[in-house]
Amino acid sequence: MEDKHIRTPILQTLRKSPFAKLQEHFKYVKTGTFALEEAVDHYLNKDYKTFKQYVEKIDKYEQKADWIKGNIRNHLPKFIFLPISKADFLSLLKELDGMLDSAKDVTVLMDMRNTEVPEDVKHEFHILIQKVMETVNAIGEVMDMFKIILETSFGGKIRQEIKKMIHEIHKLEHQSDVIEKKISKHLFNIKDIDPISVLHLLKIVERLGYIPDHAENASDKIRAMLAR
Amino acid sequence: MFFEFSFLLIFIIIIGFYMAWNIGANDLANSMASAVGAKAVTLHTAVILGGIMAFVGAVFVGSNVTETVKNGIVDPNAIKNSEFLLYGAIAALLGASFWITLATWKELPISTTHSIVGGMVGFGVVAGGVKVVNWFKLGSIALSWVISPILGAIIAYFIFKFILILILRRKKPLPAVKNIGPLLIALTALIVSSSIFFKTPAGNKLGFGIEYLILLTIIISVLSGVIGRIIIARYIHKFKSIKRKTEKEQYQIVEGIFKRLQLMTSCYIAFALGANDVANAVGPMATAFSVELTGSVGTEVEIPIYLLILGGIGIIIGMLTWGYKVIKTIGTKITELTNTRGFSIDFGAATSVLLASKAGMPVSTTHAVVGAVIGVGLARGLEAVDLRIIKKIVITWLVTVPIAALTTAGIFVVLCCVL
């Protein structure tokens, strides 16, 4: 070992940044939730074999993200001083992780019972997925800007841009809420469909709606960090 | 008798040199860490530049603190036997060296300065009783140990906030850095040049009146600012081809400028370290030499310049041999430090140390750097700061003086019996 028997108090003062790890975690969240779009496409096309591959893929991403999440938590003991509230940081991590968790739940639910989506709901289903993906994209942009805002210690021009994006995320969340309700209503009004299918599809739609919910909460945590 | 004393002199040169070596190997290497970590200087540049600047600081500004360590803590007139002073100096150096070696091996964040002060106290108490030690002086030195990291933190905090508000958070950071950058350069030049010229042998040799010295430092400072502005403008000009720069690109250019400024502050910190820490090695040596050469020690003995040079050379050799390794380890592990942060840390720590040095207070450079790191952290500049280090430093700080004192006292008693 090279670093044996030397005094390095300055090295001991500067700890490894949890923000770098947060970005690493988010990379998995992003790729995992983006994979959901194609997975649902295959599901709607009744290509359950390819869909199954996606289920496994997303599950792997979720496990990796979970591992990093645990790692970040373990390396944030009391004596580590962050430029933001540690509670905010950890809830941000939790909400981002929740996005991928929900995406995984959707695929798991779909995998349990391959309920056919009725033809006239398919279009709305596509729109909902689109909205969810837009939200993921938006939070991704915020996370990219997050790297720069650390440089200016949460100030400057970029602050306004992040706030604008957060506003956008809130709008997207609301829009997906509306579509979600529309689909639910539609499902209840289909005449010749078995109740289990309705229940199953409702649950899937509900879980899909969780993704923008988590994204919205995550963006609120970032706003709290900026406000301090 | 002559032979015996010569032997003792050689012996004290060796331990004094070892002490200087230690300062170069550990303290200098540590203080250059932020510059290497922020990739402002390469390993080789850090070693060479750090060595040279520490040498310059030691030789030109060093004598102020040397006086304090030599005569401030223990009153030489109160010790009747002048041989005791000689033995005491040897014992203090040995005791401090021993403790530093042990602490380095155990990787404790102790300070070379604190050890030598402890050694002096231990010798004083054994040789002349409790009354010989100037407890008031010791108290004020101990107070400066608390104040210097805090001052380092405060200066680093404000200089970083200054950079944030006046450069990084501006709508147009590039024109801002063109104006503020030279100001920072001029400020550094002002502090360094005034520390060289005022109340130092170098300043006295110039033979100028105080008003001319003030004028000289102002001229140097303005000149460095002007040159700095030209260099910064040229650097920005290089990126002219990128018409609409993104935020990220703009910050990268600003960091690039601070990377160059950090070259200056890392010189500054090495300089301050040399000025402050050379006393640890040279102080006891000077006591021994004046006992040897004049037979007694007055309160007003000039520190021979060759001893300061000797200390400076010791620091350089320490940096070249072991400090190299320390910097390499630190430099590869500190990865998240950007140049604006590194600049603020170096500036805060160096200014704090230099101010203490000029006031004749021997402080710990390493602790001042740690203080500056925490200061930038409090300004929300760093992504993660480990506050446990404060506790560690306080604990070692509390034990260093008594342990070094006890070890020195023991060695002193043994020396008196043997010689």
Side-chain angles (χ1 to χ4, degrees):
Chain A
M1 280 297 277
E2 275 239 52
D3 52 341
K4 271 278 148 75
H5 307 315
I6 52 174
R7 274 184 276 138
T8 54
I10 290 135
L11 184 65
Q12 290 172 26
T13 322
L14 288 160
R15 289 293 290 255
K16 221 170 160 45
S17 164
F19 294 96
K21 275 199 198 131
L22 183 74
Q23 295 289 353
E24 201 190 324
H25 174 264
F26 185 68
K27 218 172 64 196
Y28 286 110
V29 172
K30 207 171 151 184
T31 27
T33 31
F34 272 151
L36 184 66
E37 189 180 12
E38 281 173 49
V40 172
D41 267 350
H42 288 297
Y43 183 86
L44 292 178
N45 294 336
K46 290 176 216 162
D47 181 3
Y48 298 124
K49 218 172 151 193
T50 326
F51 170 74
K52 183 85 182 167
Q53 286 168 5
Y54 276 91
V55 177
E56 278 155 18
K57 209 160 119 191
I58 291 170
D59 184 55
K60 257 188 205 127
Y61 284 133
E62 199 271 339
Q63 276 176 31
K64 271 190 183 144
D66 246 6
W67 189 84
I68 299 171
K69 184 179 79 172
N71 191 279
I72 293 174
R73 281 187 180 155
N74 287 341
H75 286 89
L76 275 184
K78 215 166 72 187
F79 44 79
I80 298 291
F81 179 77
L82 299 182
I84 40 143
S85 135
K86 217 176 283 171
D88 283 344
F89 180 83
L90 289 174
S91 346
L92 171 63
L93 178 67
K94 192 181 149 199
E95 294 298 343
L96 292 176
D97 199 64
M99 286 169 63
L100 185 53
D101 272 349
S102 308
K104 186 195 136 186
D105 285 351
V106 171
T107 56
V108 168
L109 270 172
M110 284 175 158
D111 194 38
M112 278 175 186
R113 184 179 191 270
N114 294 335
T115 309
E116 224 173 278
V117 179
E119 277 306 315
D120 34 343
V121 190
K122 262 188 184 168
H123 176 64
E124 283 159 350
F125 226 89
H126 269 301
I127 295 174
L128 179 59
I129 282 287
Q130 268 334 302
K131 276 285 165 246
V132 172
M133 290 305 132
E134 270 177 55
T135 328
V136 179
N137 230 342
I139 194 85
E141 264 180 58
V142 172
M143 289 301 287
D144 275 347
M145 285 193 268
F146 202 73
K147 282 183 215 163
I148 305 173
I149 198 116
L150 283 171
E151 170 69 20
T152 59
S153 276
F154 304 91
K157 214 166 70 182
I158 192 103
R159 206 183 149 92
Q160 298 310 318
E161 283 173 41
I162 290 186
K163 280 189 175 169
K164 236 198 272 168
M165 269 332 276
I166 291 172
H167 192 69
E168 185 67 28
I169 291 169
H170 276 248
K171 241 169 44 192
L172 286 168
E173 194 275 337
H174 177 70
Q175 286 167 4
S176 59
D177 250 10
V178 173
I179 303 164
E180 198 190 314
K181 268 183 211 133
K182 214 167 140 191
I183 297 175
S184 307
K185 205 172 165 189
H186 206 145
L187 283 172
F188 281 126
N189 288 322
I190 294 175
K191 288 273 154 29
D192 43 346
I193 188 170
D194 70 305
I196 298 174
S197 292
V198 172
L199 189 76
H200 187 220
L201 290 174
L202 276 176
K203 239 182 170 171
I204 289 169
V205 168
E206 190 192 7
R207 285 296 152 116
L208 265 172
Y210 283 173
I211 300 173
D213 283 349
H214 283 302
E216 188 187 45
N217 292 345
S219 75
D220 281 341
K221 288 298 158 198
I222 292 174
R223 188 153 57 182
M225 289 174 190
L226 295 183
R228 198 189 107 174
Chain B
M1 197 65 177
F2 179 78
F3 173 75
E4 192 184 67
F5 269 140
S6 296
F7 163 74
L8 280 178
L9 273 194
I10 291 167
F11 187 57
I12 201 162
I13 286 174
I14 292 170
I15 336 166
F17 202 76
Y18 173 68
M19 198 75 181
W21 179 89
N22 243 311
I23 296 165
N26 284 299
D27 301 321
L28 181 56
N30 262 300
S31 58
M32 300 288 283
S34 60
V36 181
K39 308 219 166 26
V41 289
T42 60
L43 181 61
H44 294 276
T45 319
V47 170
I48 294 163
L49 212 59
I52 292 171
M53 289 314 288
F55 182 83
V56 171
V59 175
F60 291 109
V61 194
S63 54
N64 241 325
V65 179
T66 312
E67 283 298 325
T68 307
V69 173
K70 189 163 73 82
N71 286 338
I73 302 164
V74 178
D75 179 11
N77 294 322
I79 295 167
K80 287 160 204 104
N81 194 341
S82 69
E83 270 179 31
F84 275 11
L85 277 173
L86 184 61
Y87 299 159
I90 294 173
L93 267 180
L94 262 180
S97 301
F98 179 73
W99 171 232
I100 286 164
T101 311
L102 185 74
T104 306
W105 189 62
K106 284 275 165 205
E107 292 157 38
L108 298 170
I110 73 146
S111 153
T112 320
T113 313
H114 300 183
S115 317
I116 199 75
V117 168
M120 283 295 197
V121 172
F123 143 67
V125 171
V126 176
V130 183
K131 268 182 282 177
V132 174
V133 177
N134 188 343
W135 294 104
F136 179 73
K137 187 84 199 174
L138 183 66
S140 70
I141 288 176
L143 195 66
S144 76
W145 294 347
V146 183
I147 291 170
S148 77
I150 293 175
L151 191 64
I154 292 171
I155 298 172
Y157 177 94
F158 281 109
I159 208 84
F160 181 63
K161 278 276 180 200
F162 185 81
I163 293 169
L164 265 185
I165 294 165
L166 292 178
I167 300 171
L168 293 175
R169 287 184 182 168
R170 284 285 190 80
K171 278 213 173 99
K172 289 174 182 164
L174 289 184
V177 78
K178 223 188 246 174
N179 295 324
I180 305 300
L183 204 70
L184 291 169
I185 296 173
L187 184 64
T188 315
L190 186 74
I191 302 170
V192 173
S193 58
S194 58
S195 78
I196 293 178
F197 293 135
F198 294 112
K199 288 203 284 177
T200 56
N204 293 338
K205 272 205 188 97
L206 284 173
F208 292 158
I210 186 112
E211 58 274 11
Y212 287 108
L213 283 179
I214 291 173
L215 195 68
L216 186 63
T217 53
I218 290 173
I219 289 171
I220 289 175
S221 148
V222 170
L223 214 63
S224 340
V226 170
I227 294 169
R229 195 189 155 95
I230 294 168
I231 294 171
I232 290 173
R234 271 201 180 168
Y235 181 78
I236 295 176
H237 193 77
K238 267 201 267 178
F239 298 92
K240 212 185 163 193
S241 54
I242 310 167
K243 277 279 173 317
R244 287 193 129 247
K245 299 180 187 71
T246 61
E247 298 258 277
K248 213 173 177 178
E249 282 164 342
Q250 286 182 35
Y251 291 130
Q252 268 167 1
I253 296 171
V254 171
E255 290 294 344
I257 289 163
F258 273 90
K259 201 171 179 172
R260 277 144 189 84
L261 293 188
Q262 242 203 306
L263 193 69
M264 178 187 74
T265 47
S266 57
C267 285
Y268 181 22
I269 200 159
F271 173 82
L273 178 128
N276 177 70
D277 285 27
V278 73
N280 303 333
V282 170
M285 267 160 99
T287 308
F289 268 66
S290 64
V291 171
E292 234 310 68
L293 301 174
T294 62
S296 66
V297 173
T299 30
E300 286 282 315
V301 180
E302 209 191 318
I303 311 293
I305 190 89
Y306 56 82
L307 279 185
L308 289 172
I309 292 174
L310 192 71
I313 290 171
I315 293 176
I316 290 182
I317 291 176
M319 185 67 158
L320 285 174
T321 49
W322 184 263
Y324 188 88
K325 214 174 123 178
V326 177
I327 292 187
K328 206 171 160 188
T329 310
I330 298 173
T332 48
K333 283 196 181 164
I334 298 179
T335 48
E336 275 115 17
L337 204 59
T338 60
N339 295 102
T340 43
R341 277 70 172 167
F343 175 90
S344 310
I345 291 167
D346 285 350
F347 187 87
T351 308
S352 160
V353 169
L354 208 57
L355 286 178
S357 239
K358 289 308 278 183
M361 291 298 170
V363 296
S364 163
T365 314
T366 313
H367 293 185
V369 177
V370 171
V373 170
I374 290 165
V376 175
L378 288 174
R380 299 226 271 162
L382 297 172
E383 295 175 18
V385 177
D386 194 337
L387 295 178
R388 249 183 329 180
I389 195 77
I390 298 175
K391 200 172 123 196
K392 261 194 197 166
I393 283 179
V394 169
I395 292 169
T396 48
W397 180 73
L398 287 175
V399 294
T400 300
V401 173
I403 288 186
L406 280 174
T407 322
T408 301
I411 294 169
F412 178 73
V413 171
V414 171
L415 277 178
C416 285
C417 294
V418 173
L419 296 170

